Amino acid sequence: MKLATALKYVNKDIQRVEKKIKNVTKAESSMIQSASNHLLTAGGKRIRPIFVLLASRFGQQNQERIIDVAVALELIHMASLVHDDVIDHSMVRRGKPTVNKQWDNGTAIYTGDYIFARTLELLKPFKNHRLHTVLSNTIHQLCVGEIEQIRDKFQLKQNHFTYFKRIKRKTALLIESSTQMGAIASETDRSVEYLLKDYGYNIGMSYQIMDDILDFTSTEKELGKPVGSDLLNGHITLPTLYAMKDDQEVLGGVQAYFNEQEYHLTIEDVIHRIKHSHAIEKSYNISQRYLEKANQTLEQLPNNEPKKYLDDIAQYLSKRRF
Amino acid sequence: MINKQAEQIRKDFIKEYKHPSIKESFYDPVLTVKQVYFFQKLLLESDYKQKNDLFKALIHMQISLDIHDLVDLEFDSIEENRNQTNQLQVLVGDFHSSYFYRLLSEHNLLDELYHFIQSIKSINEIKMSLLHQDEIKIKDFNKLLNQVETVHCGLYYSLLDFCQMNKYKNDVEFELIKELVYHIDSYWLSLLKSREPAIEQAIDAKINYLNEIIITNRR
């Protein structure tokens, strides 16, 4: 498994990231600590810290500082997840009850807000304000994306442009920030920083499109949620956009579902139809195109060990099944 | 006392910063004219240079802190409209907190950022503790009221500290507390009252005390 070799390469640092994540809320009020620990110890792929660590190896190493950036990126991601769980009324995350389920919405919201403030505090030793400019812009775009996702829920009038804009804000920018902030924190050349930033962006776009494909092609067991959840929740993703364009039955089915009208196909039939349509392949090709762009960017980076692992991660993400 | 200028600033602020898909009326339960007025008043009294940038950043954060208090503790799956409002309240709160961070970063106001983060952390800790305060004892009444005061006035105290206006703090503190805590429909006071009705007497006593001290100070 290629991800495993990349993980092995940064394993020691990832362990330090894990340790720091656990310590980040130590010695604070007991409720904040319980709720944060509940959230932070649930695990995860730690994709963002891995990108920070690998990108940082293109520059000068100040390992303690780099670890702080890696932790900060993961914490921002987790703070957004705990709020997402409130918004989506989610009951389970990674096999554990969500904070809102275990306690209530208020606890989840204040935990997220606290973690956000704690994250910014972690970056205090950095005097380079570009690090903050990049992160703050990303967080802001993430929030705009979330508001627009709610606005567009169950709205049929969407297109490829709105979809790409949405996934850029939702996923790609945070991965882009991970590689760019790793580069800034290790003071790489500006040219290397921008290449790493582009790599992160393209990987993030490819990753999210794959996620949207897997929402149709995986099983409920693999996903931990019903197949076609995005569509069931009113979100139009790339496979649905292609399928609606190619197949009037899909268009009619989605339209009827969104408008709560009768139709001869149920939404489950529509999901089945999308799953077995060319829309999946078309979406996959777009995902691959972003991956190719990421690889082209990689080629321009200096030849070193971390570059090989960035390539491995790209390949792993393109082939992942869930 | 609360001037028309503050009202206009509030209106302009919302117009400039709200997301296009969010209605202006969404802000009615949060960001009062009094809150705008006091941020403006404190900054005008200070020697601080980048008043406008800090003012906007603090307004964003105050909106974020307050709007998150409006989200229902539990969602009712039947009430679709209320659920959507709840979802937007979470998101709009995050949206404004991201503006706080973005404005301070853009203007390289990192000392300010780190200073106010302390206050934001402590406000959220207090909120969490108040939320989980199941059993309220008489001996804790004053402590709890002080905590509610910090929730509403924490950013203002923090601003006074940052601008080293300790002397001025003595003049304005009681007015701040009276106007921003006890003259509004405070979610946190209501929560305490719902859990221990006897606290209402402590609240009345506090209001009387504040009124007296403000009158004395004016003399």
Side-chain angles (χ1 to χ4, degrees), chain B residues 85-139:
Chain B
T85 305
N86 271 316
Q87 292 173 326
L88 284 177
Q89 281 163 342
V90 179
L91 293 175
V92 171
D94 291 349
F95 175 72
H96 285 288
S97 117
S98 74
Y99 254 130
F100 161 84
Y101 181 29
R102 197 170 123 168
L103 282 179
L104 294 182
S105 305
E106 270 173 6
H107 296 288
N108 204 3
L109 301 176
L110 298 187
D111 287 340
E112 287 80 344
L113 175 71
Y114 296 127
H115 178 83
F116 287 102
I117 279 171
Q118 299 310 316
S119 172
I120 296 161
K121 268 171 51 187
S122 108
I123 289 171
N124 280 300
E125 280 187 89
I126 291 172
K127 283 182 178 182
M128 193 75 115
S129 140
L130 288 169
L131 194 61
H132 292 273
Q133 191 86 38
D134 294 327
E135 202 184 320
I136 298 177
K137 293 177 183 141
I138 292 178
K139 67 178 175 61

Side-chain angles (χ1 to χ4, degrees), chain A residues 177-276:
Chain A
S177 300
S178 305
T179 46
Q180 189 180 9
M181 286 173 69
I184 294 174
S186 64
E187 297 171 8
T188 65
D189 291 343
R190 238 359 124 81
S191 59
V192 171
E193 177 196 320
Y194 289 141
L195 286 169
L196 285 164
K197 176 185 178 222
D198 281 352
Y199 165 84
Y201 167 76
N202 286 306
I203 283 289
M205 293 296 280
S206 172
Y207 179 84
Q208 187 56 52
I209 295 169
M210 276 306 291
D211 231 31
D212 294 342
I213 294 169
L214 293 170
D215 189 55
F216 286 101
T217 58
S218 292
T219 61
E220 183 163 350
K221 196 180 168 195
E222 285 169 335
L223 289 166
K225 57 185 179 179
V227 174
S229 279
D230 289 330
L231 189 55
L232 289 169
N233 290 320
H235 303 303
I236 294 183
T237 58
L238 194 57
T240 307
L241 278 173
Y242 275 129
M244 286 198 305
K245 199 176 165 214
D246 295 345
D247 184 347
Q248 287 299 308
E249 294 282 45
V250 170
L251 177 65
V254 173
Q255 197 166 18
Y257 177 66
F258 281 11
N259 296 326
E260 297 180 47
Q261 291 164 340
E262 288 291 316
Y263 196 66
H264 65 275
L265 293 179
T266 65
I267 192 62
E268 285 74 21
D269 295 334
V270 171
I271 289 166
H272 182 80
R273 229 173 149 104
I274 296 172
K275 183 177 177 171
H276 297 283

Side-chain angles (χ1 to χ4, degrees), chain A residues 154-186:
Chain A
F154 292 106
Q155 299 296 319
L156 208 61
K157 277 193 179 169
Q158 291 180 60
N159 54 38
H160 284 61
F161 176 73
T162 52
Y163 169 77
F164 288 122
K165 201 164 77 170
R166 193 171 72 223
I167 65 166
K168 176 186 170 180
R169 283 173 167 155
K170 184 180 166 187
T171 307
L173 278 178
L174 204 50
I175 296 184
E176 175 188 295
S177 300
S178 305
T179 46
Q180 189 180 9
M181 286 173 69
I184 294 174
S186 64

Side-chain angles (χ1 to χ4, degrees), chain A residues 29 83 86-87 89 105 107 109-111 113 116-117 120-121 123-124 129 132 136 140 146 148 150, chain B residues 19 68-69 72-73 75 87 91 94 97-99 101-102 105 108 114 117-118 121 125 128 132 188:
Chain A
S29 85
H83 283 190
V86 173
I87 292 159
H89 307 195
N105 290 332
T107 304
I109 291 168
Y110 303 136
T111 301
D113 288 349
F116 171 67
L120 303 190
E121 196 178 37
L123 300 176
K124 192 172 179 180
H129 96 286
H132 287 288
S136 64
H140 184 69
E146 295 261 19
E148 292 182 355
I150 292 278
Chain B
H19 186 277
H68 278 168
D69 293 341
D72 296 341
L73 289 181
F75 286 169
Q87 292 173 326
L91 293 175
D94 291 349
S97 117
S98 74
Y99 254 130
Y101 181 29
R102 197 170 123 168
S105 305
N108 204 3
Y114 296 127
I117 279 171
Q118 299 310 316
K121 268 171 51 187
E125 280 187 89
M128 193 75 115
H132 292 273
W188 294 103

Side-chain angles (χ1 to χ4, degrees), chain B residues 155-203:
Chain B
L155 285 185
Y156 297 84
Y157 295 160
S158 198
L159 175 60
L160 288 161
D161 288 342
F162 186 78
C163 298
Q164 297 177 325
M165 298 162 76
N166 293 336
K167 210 175 154 204
Y168 182 65
K169 189 179 178 184
N170 296 333
D171 297 338
V172 79
E173 189 178 7
F174 299 107
E175 206 184 323
L176 260 180
I177 296 172
K178 184 184 151 189
E179 298 291 341
L180 300 182
V181 185
Y182 296 99
H183 263 201
I184 57 163
D185 190 13
S186 163
Y187 165 76
W188 294 103
L189 289 181
S190 305
L191 184 91
L192 292 179
K193 279 191 254 179
S194 70
R195 290 183 183 165
E196 178 48 72
I199 202 168
E200 186 135 24
Q201 287 158 9
I203 293 171

